Amino acid sequence: PAPAPAPAPAAAPAADGQKQNQGKKKSKAKKPSQPKAPPAPPREWTDAMEDDYQRILTVGEECISAKELKALITAKGRGSEHATGFNLYDGFEPSGRMHIAQGVFKAMNVNKCTSEGTNSTFTFWVADWFALMNDKMGGDLEKIKIVGKYLIEVWKAAGMSLDHVVFKWASEEITDKADKYWPTMLDVSRRFNITRIKKCCQIMGRLEGNLTSAQVLYPLMQCTDVFFLRADICQLGVDQRKVNMLAREYCDAARIKNKPVILSHHMLYGLKAGQEKMSKSDPDSAIFMEDTVEDVERKIMNAYCPDKEIVEEKKEQEQEGEEVDAGKESMQLKVDTLKNPCLDYIEHIILCPPGSTFTVNGVTYSEFAPIRAAFLAGDISEEQLKTALIAELNNLLQPVRDHFTNDANAKDLLAKVRQFKREGNSTSKKTVRRLDLVSLGKVQAGCHAVFGPLPSANPTLEVAFQTINQLKACTNKDQQKVLFLPDWTAIVCNSCDADKKAIDAFFSIFVASLQALDADFMKDITILKQSEAILADPSNYWISVINVGRHFALDDVMGTNVEDADGVGLVIGRLMKVADVMGLAPASIAMPECDDATIESGLIGRFVDEKMKVSGMTKSAIVKVSRSNLELQIVESEVHKTENFEYYLLDDPKVNGKSKMKKAFCEPGNVEFCPPIALAFAFTESEGITIHRSDDNGGDVTYKTKADMEADFKSGALHPGDLKAASTKIMVAVLDKISLGFKADKDVTKSAKALKAFAKKMAKNKKK
């Protein structure tokens, strides 16, 4: 064993006149530092690893970055003895029939990525949630699941090796791990502005100016998937590139070291002229996996097949340097002056598997470039090219046809998918899914709801006062009063820098302050945290958020006070607010008079009228509660504004009752803004306020109403000094009451200290 460390030397005696702190400070002996182990030598790069690397690179039209891919293979790939290896993922939205790019092309690429010994797993994220958001199958989740099962059958039949493939259903995985998935999504949302998310709209086939609010959720959830699935490689199409890059940007913002590698495969052209991609809505734009021999022949023989290159002129918008709508941007990363879909099929499908060949006009080719050159030179005619392509495609599709003919389950799934196609994008179901907190026993039917404030590092007394007034706005004694604390909305709106401990600390001292201010009243208040409510039935809650988003255009939810440069979390927060109300189903809601409340109450009312009446829900009565201004100062410059200076804070010591009142604005005769009067009548518990004065100054006077006091102050009969003295006494008592309430609960005391430490940290960071 190693010898014990030598004892620390005795402290030198203190110099004359110097205070000694012996007994107060304990001497701490430093432990000897252990030498760091030398870093492991880099693993040898073998020929087999190089083969894996080169084979995987062929999957992507672009790889960001090849260097990171190489490092990933070194760390987790072949021969690394890593327990799970590296993980690739792709998400497929079950939105109808599957075309050949999703079927055969994907199967070939998966086989390249998971070749035996590569030490990799390919996770298929069957994105039924996203299909729901994108309004596929009329938003019917059951139909969407059937389509998803059909896709899996196609992949099985298309020759995909399933030894290292995992299928995960988004709705099931997200519901089972809701406490992990949704906070991550909220964190992603808070870090990006609306402009950046709009740039991802290409993934939905939508234009920037024509988005519903749910379609803003789509890229945020897809970005979350990358981290939820712990994907090392995002292996999706070029059309998904921007949202995959969003995941890399999130790593920078969240300080995540290892970014996902982006391996974007080519987007096959549609079979018609000018089609940059295949379209499920146009059956002749692509070969579909269940197409008959005759279908394939007809489609390919009619396909666009130019033999001359065309150099296109830049569009006027591009020439003038204007920003192109993300929904109109090209999905091709490489310049292609031919855009021939038949040649595209040959290059990316027929010649995709290693060692594959293509025979046409009696010549067998193993590379694409000679085929293209021979076709352009006229050595291969259009008919010869198409005839050979038809034969190869039918060879690839025949196993799929056989599977859907001979396998009873697969046959039934295909019949249902075809039926859905005939029915169109509509649903006969009228049920609107939502969180039902009444059925879950969280609240009573017909309650009165008040939404707590978004947290702040410096919670003010004014906010607590406003909340009590909103709770008291319900005059029906038999009606349950519910205080709903929006802790998850706080995250997405970036309150307290989305620090969970700070948010929890805020709500802890906020509730304690309400109980201290009016203990008897607060005994009958039901307090419900948003996260607790959501996690009681996360699936139905988030489906309701999606449904709210699908119902409203993005511009409607943004309203008049949210701009593209603002955080997208503000939009998500408003969708959640509507879903929260649907979950509570209150008879009345108290809201402050402000722009946010006006917009939110409008959305709530419209959604009930236009969507929820079918389920029997009635519109909540909106009770607007005027704001009582309890500011202490008029601060015109934003630079000089601080909550500590402008307001009484919930954690102010009682001495601040005097010091802050002393500095409070109190202009003689000014009753338009007079903090001492406003505060005195806000927190007085007696039938009136008595001003104690000497006989020479008029003697004591008691004011029964605020109006009487304002009249005397305006006329000069009430001196500012006398007014402040009375108000100081009231505020010292209020702060003392709150302080005693905090001290009576150890957890609240800890919360107050934690929030104070957080406030200091934020102030320090602000100065940097």
Side-chain angles (χ1 to χ4, degrees), residues 520-534:
D520 290 337
F521 176 73
M522 289 301 296
K523 285 179 183 177
D524 297 325
I525 304 301
T526 300
I527 298 170
L528 181 61
K529 255 190 175 178
Q530 183 186 37
S531 56
E532 177 192 340
I534 293 172

Side-chain angles (χ1 to χ4, degrees), residues 267-270 272 274-278 328-332 339:
M267 298 297 294
L268 287 166
Y269 292 123
K272 296 180 179 179
Q275 290 184 327
E276 281 221 331
K277 63 177 288 189
M278 300 172 176
K328 296 180 180 178
E329 289 182 5
S330 174
M331 297 184 187
Q332 308 301 325
K339 296 185 178 179

Side-chain angles (χ1 to χ4, degrees), residues 4 129 133-135 153 159 230 240 261 295 450 585 709 745:
W129 271 85
M133 272 198 299
N134 225 10
D135 204 21
E153 289 299 317
R230 298 185 178 182
Q240 309 294 309
V261 173
D295 289 332
V450 172
M709 181 179 280
D745 189 318

Side-chain angles (χ1 to χ4, degrees), residues 648-665:
Y648 279 114
L649 304 181
L650 293 180
D651 59 354
D652 272 342
K654 66 179 183 180
V655 295
N656 282 14
K658 183 176 181 179
S659 61
K660 287 191 174 183
M661 184 60 73
K662 185 177 180 180
K663 297 176 182 178
F665 183 85

Side-chain angles (χ1 to χ4, degrees), residues 187-345:
D187 191 64
V188 171
S189 302
R190 78 181 180 95
R191 296 180 186 273
F192 296 100
N193 63 22
I194 296 168
T195 297
R196 177 62 184 90
I197 302 305
K198 279 185 173 183
K199 295 303 175 188
C200 298
C201 69
Q202 191 182 56
I203 69 175
M204 296 165 287
R206 301 291 193 272
L207 300 181
E208 285 185 51
N210 191 30
L211 296 175
T212 68
S213 300
Q215 287 159 344
V216 174
L217 265 169
Y218 196 128
L220 295 170
M221 290 177 67
Q222 187 170 324
C223 181
T224 302
D225 295 341
V226 176
F227 303 97
F228 182 69
L229 296 172
R230 298 185 178 182
D232 297 301
I233 301 175
C234 299
Q235 204 293 278
L236 296 87
V238 170
D239 60 333
Q240 309 294 309
R241 180 180 183 273
K242 286 190 176 181
V243 74
N244 289 331
M245 291 303 296
L246 190 75
R248 289 178 65 89
E249 292 170 28
Y250 174 70
C251 288
D252 290 332
R255 298 181 181 179
I256 296 173
K257 183 180 178 182
N258 296 321
K259 299 179 181 180
V261 173
I262 311 302
L263 191 65
S264 305
H265 63 246
H266 173 74
M267 298 297 294
L268 287 166
Y269 292 123
L271 293 176
K272 296 180 179 179
Q275 290 184 327
E276 281 221 331
K277 63 177 288 189
M278 300 172 176
S279 171
K280 295 189 184 76
S281 61
D282 182 356
D284 286 332
S285 71
I287 301 299
F288 285 84
M289 294 303 296
E290 76 278 9
D291 277 353
T292 64
V293 172
E294 293 75 20
D295 289 332
V296 174
E297 181 175 1
R298 174 180 56 80
K299 291 180 182 182
I300 295 300
M301 292 307 292
N302 291 331
Y304 178 61
C305 192
D307 58 3
K308 290 182 174 58
E309 297 180 282
I310 300 173
V311 179
E312 294 182 348
E313 294 184 5
K314 283 188 176 181
K315 296 177 182 178
E316 184 179 342
Q317 188 181 30
E318 294 173 345
Q319 288 176 339
E320 294 175 357
E322 294 181 22
E323 195 169 357
V324 179
D325 189 302
K328 296 180 180 178
E329 289 182 5
S330 174
M331 297 184 187
Q332 308 301 325
L333 295 178
K334 295 180 180 178
V335 176
D336 183 0
T337 54
L338 198 60
K339 296 185 178 179
N340 184 319
C342 296
L343 288 175
D344 204 34
Y345 271 43

Side-chain angles (χ1 to χ4, degrees), residues 503-672:
I503 291 169
D504 288 343
F506 169 88
F507 283 123
S508 174
I509 69 172
F510 175 70
V511 170
S513 69
L514 299 182
Q515 292 168 338
L517 289 170
D518 199 332
D520 290 337
F521 176 73
M522 289 301 296
K523 285 179 183 177
D524 297 325
I525 304 301
T526 300
I527 298 170
L528 181 61
K529 255 190 175 178
Q530 183 186 37
S531 56
E532 177 192 340
I534 293 172
L535 291 174
D537 187 1
S539 179
N540 276 323
Y541 176 80
W542 287 104
I543 287 175
S544 72
V545 173
I546 294 166
N547 282 334
V548 173
R550 287 171 54 211
H551 189 73
F552 292 112
L554 177 59
D555 289 344
D556 289 341
V557 177
M558 289 172 65
T560 56
N561 63 352
V562 175
E563 299 178 352
D564 282 359
D566 292 325
V568 73
L570 298 176
V571 172
I572 309 306
R574 284 181 176 171
L575 298 181
M576 292 172 69
K577 184 69 164 281
V578 179
D580 291 336
V581 173
M582 297 306 109
L584 291 163
S588 58
I589 311 167
M591 288 185 164
E593 289 186 341
C594 63
D595 290 343
D596 283 336
T598 299
I599 294 167
E600 289 167 359
S601 62
L603 294 172
I604 291 165
R606 279 184 57 192
F607 191 72
V608 173
D609 282 342
E610 298 166 12
K611 193 74 175 177
M612 298 302 295
K613 277 189 175 179
V614 69
S615 63
M617 181 176 284
T618 57
K619 193 189 298 186
S620 306
I622 304 296
V623 182
K624 291 292 181 74
V625 179
S626 300
R627 179 199 171 198
S628 296
N629 186 356
L630 302 184
E631 289 178 278
L632 293 167
Q633 298 282 347
I634 296 176
V635 184
E636 295 180 355
S637 173
E638 290 292 329
V639 177
H640 298 118
K641 280 191 174 184
T642 66
E643 287 174 320
N644 187 53
F645 182 67
E646 289 181 274
Y647 297 94
Y648 279 114
L649 304 181
L650 293 180
D651 59 354
D652 272 342
K654 66 179 183 180
V655 295
N656 282 14
K658 183 176 181 179
S659 61
K660 287 191 174 183
M661 184 60 73
K662 185 177 180 180
K663 297 176 182 178
F665 183 85
C666 191
E667 182 181 37
N670 185 345
V671 294
E672 296 298 320

